[in-house]
Amino acid sequence: MTESNELPEAPPVAREVFTGEAMERALAFAHLLAGPGVVRGLLGPREVSRIWDRHLLNCAVVAEAVPRDATIVDIGSGAGLPGLVLAIVRPDVTVTLLEPLLRRTVFLSECVETLKLGNAEVLRGRAEEIAGQRVFDVATARAVAPLDRLLTWSLPLLREGGELLAMKGERAAEELAAAGPQLKAAGVREVELVTVGRGKVDPPATVVRVVAGWSPEAGTRRRRKR
């Protein structure tokens, strides 16, 4: 039995998650993912039938954990998941879609323009390249790297008290335990597993939330800059 590659209709819950103009943008983004996104290799053909439940809705519910009016950097944005979805569902936030590969940044730029998202920008580069140049309230990431590596990339981009929201699946607790030494060395303030999307996605999405503090290394860099 093979899976259908046709884009399914949006489920009823989508209109609860994407309200007003956000729903029209979500529909348009779904078609962009299913069309140019697949043609250019940003999304696998078999994922088209799961665009709503596995991708758009799964990313949109992360907005429950995002503070109001936050500046967000979506690390390794790829096809815009979750960063572009967050820009759609939360017009109060501003999102920087950080992606090193040209073909992906071209796709992301086309999406931002087509969807008329004034609260999103595309930046080509790697997290370590913009550390010290840009500071954000929130860093998001989905299927980019193990948590220990993700901490190295994301924490230098966050203000003191800023948050990393890493979308993780069944291995979230395992990755969190493995990242213990990095978390301690980074001097983070708080770490927790957050469940979002109850009653909207099945299963609910699991997010590792890390609140940044000043590590000894970061404090040293700060003093040197003064």
Side-chain angles (χ1 to χ4, degrees):
M1 181 177 179
T2 59
E3 296 182 59
S4 170
N5 291 334
E6 293 183 5
L7 179 64
E9 291 187 9
V13 71
R15 295 192 178 275
E16 297 178 25
V17 176
F18 297 98
T19 58
E21 291 183 358
M23 186 61 199
E24 296 306 311
R25 288 192 170 106
L27 286 166
F29 185 39
H31 283 280
L32 287 166
L33 287 172
V38 171
V39 171
R40 301 182 195 181
L42 278 81
L43 196 71
R46 293 185 178 183
E47 295 300 306
V48 172
S49 63
R50 299 181 282 195
I51 278 180
W52 284 102
D53 58 351
R54 187 172 181 176
H55 298 292
L56 297 183
L57 288 169
N58 188 257
C59 289
V61 296
V62 175
E64 296 175 13
V66 176
R68 283 200 59 81
D69 303 317
T71 57
I72 301 173
V73 57
D74 188 35
I75 298 173
S77 196
L81 303 168
L84 207 151
V85 178
L86 292 174
I88 291 173
V89 77
R90 287 284 299 274
D92 61 296
V93 304
T94 56
V95 181
T96 297
L97 305 167
L98 182 62
E99 169 58 48
L101 296 184
L102 178 61
R103 65 183 176 88
R104 293 177 179 174
T105 57
V106 169
F107 174 77
L108 290 170
S109 296
E110 291 173 359
C111 289
V112 169
E113 182 178 357
T114 300
L115 302 176
K116 296 180 171 57
L117 286 170
N119 63 332
E121 65 167 345
V122 180
L123 179 60
R124 185 182 177 194
R126 301 180 184 278
E128 51 268 43
E129 295 170 348
I130 67 166
Q133 302 175 29
R134 301 280 297 271
V135 179
F136 302 88
D137 299 319
V138 175
T140 56
R142 183 191 195 219
V144 174
L147 184 60
D148 54 356
R149 199 182 317 158
L150 191 56
L151 289 167
T152 302
W153 296 341
S154 62
L155 292 179
L157 301 180
L158 294 173
R159 63 170 174 79
E160 185 175 5
E163 302 178 12
L164 165 64
L165 300 176
M167 296 184 68
K168 296 292 181 180
E170 297 176 352
R171 297 184 58 190
E174 182 182 335
E175 286 198 33
L176 191 55
Q182 286 82 1
L183 290 165
K184 184 176 181 180
V188 301
R189 291 184 179 180
E190 185 180 349
V191 183
E192 63 177 335
L193 291 180
V194 179
T195 300
V196 293
R198 292 188 184 277
K200 297 172 184 175
V201 292
D202 185 24
T206 301
V207 175
V208 177
R209 175 176 173 266
V210 179
V211 180
W214 287 108
S215 66
E217 294 82 2
T220 299
R221 287 197 299 271
R222 256 186 120 199
R223 288 192 294 271
R224 286 175 180 170
K225 288 180 180 179
R226 289 177 179 174

